[in-house]
């Protein structure tokens, strides 16, 4: 203590709640909390009053009632007798399907466009600029309905494939049919499925997914093994300075086990074929899915292209030169110096674009693709008249998806971010 | 032998650079044909451009400007011999000539078209002192302050006393604040000012304005919200939502950065919730749920509800943009403000916010572009924005079957607006880049 006398001991006065900075923050927070609670209470009491007036008890019982409508594009078994809950699950899976497809293609197209936009070739760079500006500055909804119109109007109908001298023909050795109603592509079928031998009560969908589960498990093990091989190569390089050649080992690890599983399961391609007035067999992707997928990926790819471009430009030329001066070869300069730095800039906005794409997939309702918005917040809402429950549930599900993607983003960000002072 | 030398004694005259290095040829050699790979790319690009243009141009150039229906268009096209494999091929521009006004104004009464036009021209004037601060006199800022009351009056019409009364609330509150602040202190001033303004708006506002309206009936003829449509509707929703979300966004951003745990978590919760759900679900809330949340008997029109939800949506994004601006300020600015002895609000008002908002203008503009594009979503809940109108136009038997012309025209309108704004924001970013 440097002061000779202790400061006078103040007794607590009520005015200190406002004027003393020690208590003021507390006061403000409590006032804010009370205000918030009053607002929420007001909204809830209004809602309760209105619902009583309308004679609607809030309940989620409707979820187990039969839905009574059909969903034409689905990943799991569903018919009009299934419950509203199952309809919502079908919708959720459809949302995730188009989101995953869209993210994958948007990334590929976006990276290509972004790199080409940096091309030294003036003409190529200009074309890519036009592409980016064209897709960025026109609303996504317009692109979705526009591409839907293109698919319906310009592609041939299944009937055009019929007859001796058809107006249209299938592509890739009669395996893919692009029609105005949708695309028909070959499906992989397991003739020797694990569930076919005995357990008959398991329905076909679960059985099929069990086969795929095995395939993916084997793939995951292969990838793990490949990482071990790489790490061993790194260790040898650090110890001796020479890196053993391992690419054939990696390639073999990737292909051989999965190939063996496919052969054991008796995998074969099931081709779509024209039967009557339509195609049968194979996988049928409806035109609404195609239009939505294309529009989402083209639109998002314009944003991805800009992100990739700025990421590459953010790595200064000195880095490349310094790496070259250290004697690294161009490929390793790219892998070890440029890409890690560019990715640090690219990945966070890229993932937020994935988030946008997933949220934008809710525009499916404009072309009649039955995603979560179309089932739960569309037909189920109209049939049961439960606006509050359906819309709240739908928002909650979207929020969960978004929060999961954000969590991944934050985890990655924390892993790669530069540690500053 | 004295003049024997191994080097030149006189300078040669400067020669022109070789033709292949300058001018058009030099430029082409450098930018289009610098190597075999580049040359292949160039040839491929030229082929691609030719392919696209040869597909679009003949369709685009079509003498159907004066046609009155799709059938007439087809007859004109067959008459000039422009026939493809599926019958007549070529655009039918008659629909644009007949309906472009509708695509811009919806069903707004045609004798009042000057009102939205004037509203948006004045918008440019009101924004000028903010957007082009160095070229416009600062005094225009007073007009910017008046503009928010002028805008709805011009669009919706009604008695002039409504907006004047609403503005009077702020004036009264300010004067009460000033007079109490001098006598007591600023906190009591703020409370007194806010309470008087609230009393004015909630209690005195409607009797006084209706009395004044009866006394001096000044005003514009009212226009119902459901007559709004087309580009004007998109612009109105976008402009109002962005304008109102700016103060909300500032509050949310400050709340998110504050040390007060409860305030902070409320703000973070709101922002993350809004950013985590698609806009279309919020529009569903506007169309189906908002009336349920309000006291029984409240019923306000759908455009207002959409604007409320769009404002909440935009304010979450705006908060993130402004938070970015706050984070970009060097720490020394905060410390400098503290060392001058300014309190929190003085520091925000005089030091932090002017700089942070200036940095975030490009972000605000791109938020506006995003919101403006997203206003097309209101067609899903049945409002007549350009996209919703295009469906209505196609329901007309004259134009049944028109697709590309309408979508193309709408896309062009959006492109012009959004591209212009994005160019502006790029210009601003370059101007603000005062670093290296």
């Amino acid at each position: 203590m440097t002061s000779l006398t202790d400061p006078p001991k103040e007794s607590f006065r009520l005015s200190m709640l406002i004027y003393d900075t020690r208590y003021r923050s507390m006061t403000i927070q409590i006032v804010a909390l009370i205000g918030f609670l009053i607002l929420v209470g007001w909204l809830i009491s209004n809602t309760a009053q209105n619902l009583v007036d309308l004679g609607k008890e809030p309940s989620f019982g409707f979820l187990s009632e039969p839905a009574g409508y059909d969903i034409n594009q689905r990943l799991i078994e569903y018919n009009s007798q299934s419950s509203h809950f199952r309809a919502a699950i079908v919708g959720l899976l459809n949302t995730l399907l188009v989101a995953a497809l869209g993210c994958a293609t948007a990334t590929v197209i976006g990276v290509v466009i972004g790199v080409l936009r940096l091309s030294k070739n003036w003409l190529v760079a200009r074309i890519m600029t036009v592409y980016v500006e064209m897709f960025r500055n026109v609303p996504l909804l317009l692109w979705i309905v526009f591409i839907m119109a293109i698919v319906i109007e310009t592609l041939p109908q299944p009937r055009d494939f019929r007859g001796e001298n058809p107006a249209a023909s299938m592509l890739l050795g009669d395996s893919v049919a692009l029609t105005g109603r949708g695309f028909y592509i070959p499906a992989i079928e397991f003739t020797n499925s694990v569930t076919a031998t005995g357990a008959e009560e398991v329905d076909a969908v679960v059985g099929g997914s069990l086969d795929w589960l095995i395939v993916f498990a084997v793939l995951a093990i292969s990838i793990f093994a490949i990482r071990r091989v790489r790490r061993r190569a790194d260790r040898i390089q650090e110890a001796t300075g020479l890196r053993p050649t391992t690419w054939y080992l990696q390639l073999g690890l990737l292909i051989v086990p999965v190939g063996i599983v496919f052969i054991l399961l008796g995998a074969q391609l099931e081709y779509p074929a024209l039967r009557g007035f339509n195609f049968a067999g194979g996988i049928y992707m409806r035109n609404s899915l195609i239009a939505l997928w294309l529009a989402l990926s083209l639109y998002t790819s314009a944003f991805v292209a800009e992100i990739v471009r700025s990421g590459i430009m953010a790595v200064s030329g000195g880095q490349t030169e310094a790496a070259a001066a250290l004697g690294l070869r161009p490929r390793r300069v790219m892998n070890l110096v440029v890409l890690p730095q560019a990715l640090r800039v690219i990945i966070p906005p890229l993932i937020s674009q994935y988030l946008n794409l997933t949220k934008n997939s809710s525009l499916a309702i404009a072309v009649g693709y039955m995603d979560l918005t179309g089932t739960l917040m569309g037909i189920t809402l109209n049939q049961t008249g439960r606006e509050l429950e359906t819309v709240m549930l739908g928002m909650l599900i979207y929020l969960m998806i978004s929060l999961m993607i954000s969590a991944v983003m934050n985890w990655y960000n924390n892993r790669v971010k530069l540690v500053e002072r | 032998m004295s003049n024997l030398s191994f080097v030149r004694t006189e300078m040669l005259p400067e020669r022109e650079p070789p033709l292949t290095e300058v001018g058009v040829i030099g430029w082409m050699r450098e930018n289009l044909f610098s190597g075999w790979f580049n040359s292949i790319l160039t040839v491929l690009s030229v082929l691609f451009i030719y392919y696209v243009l040869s597909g679009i141009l003949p369709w685009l150039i079509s003498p159907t400007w004066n046609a009155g229906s799709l059938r007439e268009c087809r007859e004109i096209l067959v008459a000039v011999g422009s026939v493809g494999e599926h019958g007549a091929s070529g655009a039918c521009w008659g629909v644009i000539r007949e309906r472009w006004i509708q695509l811009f104004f919806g069903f707004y009464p045609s004798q009042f078209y000057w009102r939205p036009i004037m509203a948006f021209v004045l918008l440019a004037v009101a924004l000028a002192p903010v957007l082009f601060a160095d070229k416009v006199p600062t005094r225009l800022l007073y007009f910017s302050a008046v503009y928010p009351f002028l805008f709805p009056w011009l669009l919706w019409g009604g008695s002039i006393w409504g907006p004047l009364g609403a503005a009077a609330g702020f004036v009264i509150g300010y004067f009460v604040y000033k007079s109490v602040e001098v006598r007591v202190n600023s906190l009591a001033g703020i409370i007194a000012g806010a309470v008087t303004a609230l009393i004015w708006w909630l209690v005195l506002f409607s009797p006084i304005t209706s009395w004044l309206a009866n006394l001096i009936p000044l005003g514009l003829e009212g226009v119902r919200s459901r007559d709004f449509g087309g580009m004007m509707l998109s612009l109105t929703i976008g402009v109002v939502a962005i304008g109102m979300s700016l103060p909300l966004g500032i509050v949310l951003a400050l709340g998110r950065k504050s040390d007060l745990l409860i305030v902070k978590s409320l703000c973070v919760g709101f922002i993350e919730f809004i950013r985590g759900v698609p806009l279309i679900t919020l529009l569903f809330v506007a169309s189906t749920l908002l009336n349920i949340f309000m006291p029984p008997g409240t019923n306000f029109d759908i455009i207002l509800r959409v604007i409320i939800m769009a404002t909440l949506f935009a304010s979450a994004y705006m908060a993130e943009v402004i938070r970015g601006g706050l984070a970009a300020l060097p720490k020394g600015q905060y410390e400098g403000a503290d060392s001058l002895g300014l309190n929190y609000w003085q520091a925000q008002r005089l030091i932090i916010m002017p700089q942070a908002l200036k940095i975030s203008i490009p972000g605000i503009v791109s938020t506006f572009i995003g919101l403006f594009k997203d206003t097309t979503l209101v067609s899903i809940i049945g409002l007549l924005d350009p996209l919703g109108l295009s469906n209505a136009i196609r329901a007309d038997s004259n134009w049944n079957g028109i697709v590309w012309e309408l979508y193309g025209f709408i896309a062009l309108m959006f492109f012009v607006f959004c591209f212009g704004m994005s160019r502006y924001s790029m210009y601003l970013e370059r101007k603000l880049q005062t670093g290296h």
Side-chain angles (χ1 to χ4, degrees):
Chain A
M1 292 293 280
T2 50
S3 62
L4 294 176
T5 53
D6 281 339
K9 216 171 167 62
E10 273 190 89
S11 60
F12 181 77
R13 278 172 288 118
L14 212 56
S15 61
M16 283 167 74
L17 282 180
I18 294 176
Y19 292 115
D20 195 319
T21 41
R22 280 173 296 177
Y23 304 110
R24 183 162 54 191
S25 63
M26 217 57 189
T27 321
I28 294 174
Q29 298 205 57
I30 288 171
V31 168
L33 187 64
I34 291 173
F36 175 72
L37 288 179
I38 289 175
L39 181 70
V40 170
W42 183 69
L43 288 178
I44 289 179
S45 79
N46 282 338
T47 311
Q49 183 61 41
N50 279 314
L51 286 180
V52 168
D53 290 352
L54 290 170
K56 284 183 194 167
E57 287 286 301
S59 90
F60 284 94
F62 70 92
L63 282 177
S64 55
E65 291 164 13
Y69 59 90
D70 253 328
I71 298 177
N72 42 37
Q73 174 89 51
R74 53 181 182 255
L75 290 176
I76 57 174
E77 205 53 42
Y78 172 88
N79 58 44
S80 58
Q81 291 311 304
S82 307
S83 65
H84 282 297
F85 180 71
R86 197 162 176 95
I89 296 291
V90 172
L92 174 63
L93 288 176
N94 277 347
T95 294
L96 294 178
L97 170 72
V98 78
L101 287 174
C103 287
T105 39
T107 314
V108 173
I109 302 173
V111 169
V112 171
I113 302 272
V115 171
L116 283 183
R117 214 184 152 183
L118 287 172
S119 160
K120 284 198 185 69
N121 188 312
W122 184 84
L123 209 53
V124 171
R126 272 322 94 111
I127 292 177
M128 294 311 149
T129 310
V130 169
Y131 174 92
V132 168
E133 296 295 349
M134 186 173 86
F135 278 97
R136 272 205 314 184
N137 287 316
V138 171
L140 172 62
L141 189 59
L142 201 55
W143 281 120
I144 293 177
V145 291
F146 197 71
I147 292 179
M148 184 71 176
I150 291 180
V151 170
I152 291 178
E153 303 248 331
T154 61
L155 289 178
Q157 290 300 311
R159 63 166 181 274
D160 295 335
F161 292 82
R162 279 158 50 80
E164 284 297 302
N165 209 351
S169 57
M170 294 169 77
L171 304 174
L172 298 177
D174 274 4
S175 62
V176 176
L178 308 181
T179 75
R181 283 194 209 169
F183 293 1
Y184 297 85
I185 57 172
I188 296 175
E189 193 180 50
F190 297 108
T191 50
N192 207 357
S193 179
V194 267
T195 45
T197 58
E200 277 161 23
E201 67 273 21
V202 190
D203 63 50
V205 176
V206 178
S209 49
L210 199 61
D211 292 331
W212 280 111
L213 212 61
I214 293 172
V215 172
F216 283 122
V218 171
L219 199 62
I221 293 170
S222 300
I223 289 172
F224 180 72
I226 288 171
R227 289 185 60 153
R228 290 294 296 273
V229 170
R230 274 202 203 140
R231 216 165 286 159
R232 186 170 149 268
D234 283 344
R235 266 206 310 279
I236 293 176
Q237 188 183 21
E238 274 163 25
T240 65
L242 292 173
R243 192 176 178 83
T245 321
T246 55
W247 64 267
Y248 50 84
L249 194 58
Q250 294 181 29
L251 200 67
L253 274 174
L254 192 66
I255 293 173
V256 173
V258 176
I260 290 172
V261 170
F262 268 128
I263 291 167
L264 282 181
L265 289 173
Q268 65 181 34
L269 288 176
E270 186 202 11
Y271 292 106
L274 200 57
R275 298 224 182 87
F277 287 95
N278 213 338
F279 284 92
I283 297 174
Y284 171 39
M285 301 164 87
R286 284 189 77 80
N287 49 14
S288 54
L289 170 64
I290 300 293
L292 187 68
W293 174 22
L294 269 181
L296 282 173
S297 33
L298 292 179
Y299 181 80
T300 311
S301 71
F303 292 88
V304 173
E306 285 301 274
I307 292 168
V308 168
R309 187 174 73 111
S310 65
I312 293 175
M313 280 164 69
V315 181
S316 69
Q319 297 285 331
T320 324
E321 289 161 13
L326 285 178
L328 294 178
R329 274 171 298 173
R331 216 187 106 224
R332 292 182 71 75
V333 170
M334 190 47 100
N335 283 343
L336 297 176
V337 178
V338 176
L339 270 188
Q341 297 185 67
L343 278 183
R344 191 171 286 143
V345 183
I346 289 173
I347 296 282
L350 188 66
I351 294 180
S352 100
Q353 283 306 323
Y354 291 164
L355 196 60
N356 282 343
L357 190 146
T358 311
K359 286 190 289 174
N360 283 337
S361 71
S362 60
L363 296 183
I365 198 166
V367 285
Y369 175 69
M370 298 303 269
D371 73 332
L372 189 63
T373 323
T375 55
L376 182 67
M377 286 187 275
I379 302 181
T380 295
L381 188 158
N382 287 334
Q383 286 196 350
T384 61
R386 301 235 163 235
E387 310 94 349
L388 188 70
E389 294 89 339
T390 50
V391 173
M392 287 291 149
L393 195 62
M395 285 174 111
L396 197 69
I397 294 173
Y398 274 114
L399 192 62
M400 301 267 272
I401 299 174
S402 302
L403 288 181
M404 269 189 266
I405 297 178
S406 306
V408 172
M409 175 163 82
N410 288 340
W411 170 79
Y412 182 83
N413 235 349
N414 286 335
R415 224 183 64 138
V416 301
K417 80 172 171 202
L418 283 178
V419 183
E420 291 179 29
R421 60 184 165 112
Chain B
M1 305 293 274
S2 59
N3 61 350
L4 179 77
S5 66
F6 295 98
V7 282
R8 259 185 216 286
T9 51
E10 79 280 11
M11 281 293 283
L12 281 178
E14 251 180 46
R15 284 208 292 187
E16 291 285 310
L19 260 182
T20 52
E21 291 298 320
V22 289
V24 179
I25 297 173
W27 181 87
M28 280 174 67
R29 272 175 66 108
E30 191 177 332
N31 290 304
L32 298 179
F33 302 101
S34 59
W36 61 270
F37 182 68
N38 227 340
S39 308
I40 291 174
L41 275 183
T42 306
V43 171
L44 284 180
S45 312
V46 169
L47 284 179
F48 173 75
I49 294 174
Y50 172 76
Y51 176 74
V52 170
L53 288 186
S54 67
I56 291 179
L57 274 185
W59 180 84
L60 216 57
I61 301 167
S62 146
T64 49
W65 189 247
N66 290 315
S69 70
L70 187 58
R71 218 185 55 239
E72 233 175 275
C73 277
R74 293 207 173 117
E75 280 162 10
I76 293 175
L77 285 171
V78 171
V80 298
S82 168
V83 180
E85 49 187 302
H86 302 293
S89 88
C92 182
W93 295 119
V95 66
I96 305 297
R97 178 192 54 81
E98 195 181 296
R99 300 299 183 108
W100 70 271
I101 288 219
Q102 202 180 31
L103 284 173
F104 273 103
F105 294 103
F107 295 101
Y108 207 82
S110 56
Q111 70 270 29
F112 297 140
Y113 279 166
W114 63 272
R115 276 158 51 176
I117 293 174
M118 190 164 149
F120 290 114
V121 169
L122 287 181
L123 173 69
V125 177
L127 283 180
V130 184
L131 297 186
F132 302 97
D134 46 350
K135 296 186 186 116
V136 182
T138 328
R139 209 168 304 153
L140 260 183
L141 271 175
Y142 291 108
F143 178 71
S144 311
V146 173
Y147 187 75
F149 303 98
L150 196 62
F151 180 78
W153 182 62
L154 273 175
L155 287 181
W156 275 274
S159 160
I160 194 170
W161 300 109
L164 278 185
F170 286 101
V171 177
I172 293 170
Y174 179 74
F175 278 113
V176 170
Y177 161 72
K178 272 289 169 195
S179 56
V180 175
E181 189 204 14
V182 177
R183 301 215 176 87
V184 194
N185 61 27
S186 73
L187 189 78
I190 289 172
I191 294 173
V195 168
T196 1
L198 275 180
I199 291 175
W200 167 260
W201 281 320
L202 295 179
V203 184
L204 299 172
F205 175 71
S206 58
I208 289 185
T209 49
S210 58
W211 176 70
L212 277 169
N214 284 330
L215 199 68
I216 316 169
L218 264 182
L220 295 170
E221 198 175 316
V223 177
R224 287 163 310 175
S225 287
R226 67 156 181 261
D227 291 338
F228 280 47
M231 214 56 186
M232 192 196 104
L233 176 68
S234 298
L235 273 175
T236 307
I237 295 175
V239 166
V240 176
I242 283 292
M244 295 203 299
S245 69
L246 194 57
L248 258 177
I250 292 175
V251 171
L252 285 171
L254 288 179
R256 190 167 187 169
K257 270 189 84 84
S258 84
D259 307 325
L260 312 175
L261 186 68
I262 296 177
V263 175
K264 186 179 174 179
S265 42
L266 286 180
C267 290
V268 171
F270 177 82
I271 293 173
E272 292 304 328
F273 171 71
I274 295 282
R275 277 159 42 96
V277 298
L279 177 59
I280 186 74
T281 60
L282 293 175
L283 291 180
F284 278 138
V285 170
S287 72
T288 61
L289 288 185
L290 211 54
N291 274 341
I292 293 185
F293 291 150
M294 291 291 122
T298 329
N299 195 8
F300 45 116
D301 73 75
I302 178 78
I303 291 192
L304 200 56
R305 282 183 274 161
V306 165
I307 286 180
I308 291 174
M309 293 320 282
T311 304
L312 294 182
F313 180 75
S315 65
Y317 287 84
M318 197 63 92
E320 288 300 276
V321 168
I322 293 170
R323 189 168 71 112
L326 288 172
L329 275 195
K331 216 163 178 260
Q333 296 291 329
Y334 293 89
E335 292 162 355
D338 281 346
S339 70
L340 284 177
L342 301 178
N343 68 25
Y344 180 76
W345 290 108
Q346 284 172 328
Q348 292 296 340
R349 191 162 53 86
L350 299 171
I351 311 277
I352 309 297
M353 270 301 150
Q355 300 185 64
L357 285 182
K358 194 176 148 193
I359 307 176
S360 20
I361 288 181
I364 294 174
V365 173
S366 56
T367 311
F368 177 72
I369 297 176
L371 184 70
F372 181 57
K373 284 189 295 177
D374 281 345
T375 54
T376 48
L377 267 63
V378 299
S379 64
I380 292 179
I381 58 167
L383 292 186
L384 291 177
D385 81 312
L387 212 54
L389 274 173
S390 78
N391 293 331
I393 291 172
R394 263 180 297 152
D396 185 340
S397 62
N398 277 342
W399 303 116
N400 196 352
I402 291 257
V403 184
W404 316 108
E405 296 83 351
L406 280 173
Y407 287 157
F409 183 69
I410 297 168
L412 187 70
M413 288 199 293
F414 273 101
F415 182 83
V416 168
F417 276 101
C418 298
F419 186 69
M421 283 186 285
S422 71
R423 285 292 121 156
Y424 166 77
S425 112
M426 280 163 74
Y427 148 83
L428 205 66
E429 261 170 72
R430 270 200 306 278
K431 206 177 75 173
L432 290 177
Q433 219 167 40
T434 46
H436 11 257

